Amino acid sequence: MGNLATGGYIVIGVDGRGRPAHDQPPVDVRQFDSADLRSRIAKYVEAPVHILSQAHEVDSRTIVLVYVQPNADGLPVPVSTIGQYSRDGGGSVVVFNEGEVLLREGTSNVRLRYGHWNDLLGRYRDRVRQEARQDIDALVRGLIDTLRGAGTTGGPSVPLLLEMEEDVFADAVVASLEAASTVRIKQFVNNAVATVTAAVAVPDARSEQALDKLGVIATQAIQYDRLDVFNIAIDGLYRAYKPVHVGLAGVASGDIARHWLNTLLRLFAIGSFAVRQQSWRFLPSLVFKPIEVQSNHVYVTWLKHGQVFAARANLLLSADGIERGGQLLSLARDLTARHPALHPDIPASLVDTTGTLSQSDPLLNSLCQFDLWWCIMAQTRAARENASAFYPSCAALHQFRAQPALNMVATNEAVRREVFGTTTDAVIASALVTVVESATVQAMHYGGFWTGINESLAVQKYVHSHLPSEVI
């Protein structure tokens, strides 16, 4: 088990189905002391073996759980001496010999075969790569500090590499922005797009890493108010998203839908950051990316398209396999929380990881607000083009989390112009009403609490001043 990448567990005191074995003698906990187990195993192997054991009471019976940790150095550990025991009728039974490497395969112990080597050495290769990345990251950090200390602008910029740790990558992006050069960023975006599109059918760790890095570029562009760089990153994400087309039946494989969802989660992380920064002028280029699935059927935004096909592929179900609504926002918050470079305005130490989110949780609330923003934006465009428009995931949560978006639309003319351009207030107000009414209806299905436009006098006033009373 120690030779496996995940280690392994041994449960003492249960039957073949994992239930307390009441028909067997009581477990002697003293035989399974962690230190004693390590001492016994040390007789047969030279490498350090890490074992933890803990006794539990389950259904009035003592159960012992033993965890064998994977070997720390990632190298396979051979046994150092013969292992044998005496048979009751006389004679010895050899279980393993000196120099053999044993593995756990299913429910059996097996000797090392050629086919095992690739998996067996996977952790060792990962460790070597990680150590190499640390050296590269240290070098890049030093280069960034040197360039900043010299006050270099307009000169050579630091490299942007997929293998960089995200905090170092974010610093390298900032260094490129400060050097007034976007060449490195454009080069990286092109390479990242190639990495993602090469793995569309089967998303892998590198493709998700590339999506994360594109998200970091977009986030830093917002922070430095660089719409040009933001558009480079978003256009890269769009190019990585678009090559996959849907057939006439409107369905996609689970892997392709997963690719779309992976992209969508990064877009929500980026959009929520723009909301927290009140960088409204970045929203149109993020939202208005159309997807044509048939000549007469267009999604005005990839945000709706990705959501639809993720739902059809059952990727937005809760952990228990039930559709409860709001899962998209839950997944987006989880991803954002795990990547500090996607929320540079909130220290990682202040991000709630307990799962019990407060009413003021900034990540969830800004995600809900962005969700409402894109829905209203999409509806204003769909009203003219008669296309698929929106679905408010925030309806599964209480309205107070998304309400600031409604207030901003209703009260700030300058923001409306930044987001909606020349769209009239009548069209904006109509879209707002349509989205809020949809959210209010959906909330009744999912346990959210929405009172509609009546939640705010300012919103009521805005709507009533631009729409005929019979429309409201």
Side-chain angles (χ1 to χ4, degrees):
M1 288 182 173
N3 282 331
L4 300 177
T6 56
Y9 291 90
I10 303 171
V11 186
I12 296 99
V14 298
D15 59 22
R17 292 179 294 177
R19 300 173 181 174
H22 292 287
D23 60 336
Q24 297 297 317
V27 174
D28 184 358
V29 176
R30 294 172 298 176
Q31 294 185 13
F32 302 100
D33 174 73
S34 298
D36 185 48
L37 290 176
R38 287 193 291 270
S39 176
R40 293 186 189 186
I41 294 173
K43 299 176 182 177
Y44 297 96
V45 295
E46 295 176 353
V49 176
H50 302 284
I51 293 183
L52 301 172
S53 65
Q54 181 66 51
H56 303 271
E57 290 295 321
V58 180
D59 194 15
S60 301
R61 180 173 172 81
T62 300
I63 304 296
V64 176
L65 181 65
V66 178
Y67 173 54
V68 183
Q69 297 181 6
N71 299 322
D73 57 14
L75 292 173
V77 178
V79 293
S80 57
T81 187
I82 189 171
Q84 59 185 349
Y85 65 92
S86 299
R87 194 176 280 152
D88 289 341
S92 297
V93 177
V94 175
V95 181
F96 49 79
N97 288 296
E98 181 181 357
E100 290 182 334
V101 176
L102 303 176
L103 300 169
R104 190 71 175 171
E105 195 171 74
T107 58
S108 303
N109 299 321
V110 299
R111 289 170 172 81
L112 176 68
R113 301 191 302 272
Y114 175 79
H116 292 137
W117 278 111
N118 190 50
D119 290 337
L120 193 61
L121 292 177
R123 283 192 308 117
Y124 179 73
R125 290 196 299 267
D126 290 343
R127 180 181 174 184
V128 172
R129 280 195 290 263
Q130 183 179 5
E131 290 174 350
R133 282 200 304 270
Q134 289 172 350
D135 291 339
I136 293 172
D137 290 345
L139 178 63
V140 172
R141 279 195 178 99
L143 179 57
I144 292 171
D145 291 341
T146 299
L147 291 175
R148 285 176 173 167
T152 303
T153 58
S157 57
V158 297
L160 298 172
L161 305 174
L162 185 62
E163 294 76 13
M164 285 178 172
E165 293 296 331
E166 282 187 6
D167 59 335
V168 179
F169 183 83
D171 282 344
V173 171
V174 170
S176 291
L177 297 176
E178 291 176 344
S181 172
T182 61
V183 173
R184 295 283 192 185
I185 292 175
K186 289 178 181 177
Q187 290 175 337
F188 177 85
V189 169
N190 289 334
N191 291 334
V193 171
T195 299
V196 175
T197 53
V200 162
V202 185
D204 58 16
R206 279 183 63 81
S207 65
E208 291 205 29
Q209 203 174 33
L211 291 174
D212 290 334
K213 296 295 197 302
L214 290 172
V216 171
I217 293 174
T219 301
Q220 290 298 333
I222 292 172
Q223 188 157 247
Y224 279 76
D225 198 30
R226 290 288 300 274
L227 185 58
D228 59 329
V229 174
F230 180 81
N231 288 335
I232 291 171
I234 297 301
D235 288 344
L237 286 165
Y238 191 42
R239 282 188 283 134
Y241 188 98
K242 274 188 70 177
V244 183
H245 295 286
V246 185
L248 295 178
V251 296
S253 73
D255 287 327
I256 292 174
R258 171 66 67 184
H259 160 67
W260 285 328
L261 178 60
N262 286 342
T263 307
L264 196 63
L265 297 180
R266 276 74 180 180
L267 298 178
F268 268 74
I270 296 165
S272 65
F273 180 69
V275 167
R276 293 196 303 276
Q277 296 293 294
Q278 297 194 348
S279 298
W280 311 113
R281 71 191 187 106
F282 290 81
L283 294 184
S285 56
L286 173 60
V287 173
F288 291 130
K289 293 290 186 288
I291 300 293
E292 180 180 335
V293 294
Q294 297 178 27
S295 59
N296 62 344
H297 185 65
V298 177
Y299 289 87
V300 298
T301 173
W302 52 347
L303 301 179
K304 173 67 185 300
H305 173 268
Q307 191 175 23
V308 167
F309 286 93
R312 289 179 182 175
N314 295 321
L315 298 178
L316 297 180
L317 302 179
S318 300
D320 54 6
I322 299 175
E323 202 283 306
R324 290 194 169 88
Q327 183 70 358
L328 176 62
L329 298 181
S330 176
L331 293 173
R333 189 202 179 277
D334 180 62
L335 176 115
T336 308
R338 287 187 285 107
H339 294 275
L342 294 178
H343 55 84
D345 57 323
I346 306 173
S349 59
L350 299 182
V351 173
D352 190 336
T353 58
T354 65
T356 304
L357 304 179
S358 69
Q359 293 185 357
S360 60
D361 183 77
L363 291 184
L364 182 59
N365 290 357
S366 58
L367 283 165
C368 288
Q369 290 158 39
F370 171 68
D371 188 55
L372 210 55
W373 268 109
W374 83 257
C375 287
I376 297 171
M377 293 169 67
Q379 182 59 24
T380 62
R381 188 69 60 91
R384 297 197 302 269
E385 300 179 5
N386 191 29
S388 298
F390 69 90
Y391 178 83
S393 297
C394 57
L397 300 151
H398 291 337
Q399 184 172 342
F400 72 82
R401 294 190 184 275
Q403 185 64 35
L406 297 177
N407 295 343
M408 185 62 70
V409 172
T411 62
N412 197 311
E413 169 68 18
V415 170
R416 289 200 297 274
R417 298 286 66 86
E418 280 192 281
V419 175
F420 299 103
T422 59
T423 302
T424 66
D425 281 309
V427 172
I428 298 171
S430 176
L432 185 152
V433 170
T434 300
V435 171
V436 172
E437 286 181 347
S438 175
T440 303
V441 171
Q442 293 297 326
M444 291 188 287
H445 297 292
Y446 297 121
F449 184 78
W450 282 65
T451 58
I453 64 170
N454 295 329
E455 183 74 12
S456 165
L457 290 175
V459 174
Q460 289 183 59
K461 181 179 178 181
Y462 173 72
V463 169
H464 283 284
S465 65
H466 293 287
L467 291 181
S469 58
E470 62 268 16
V471 177
I472 304 172

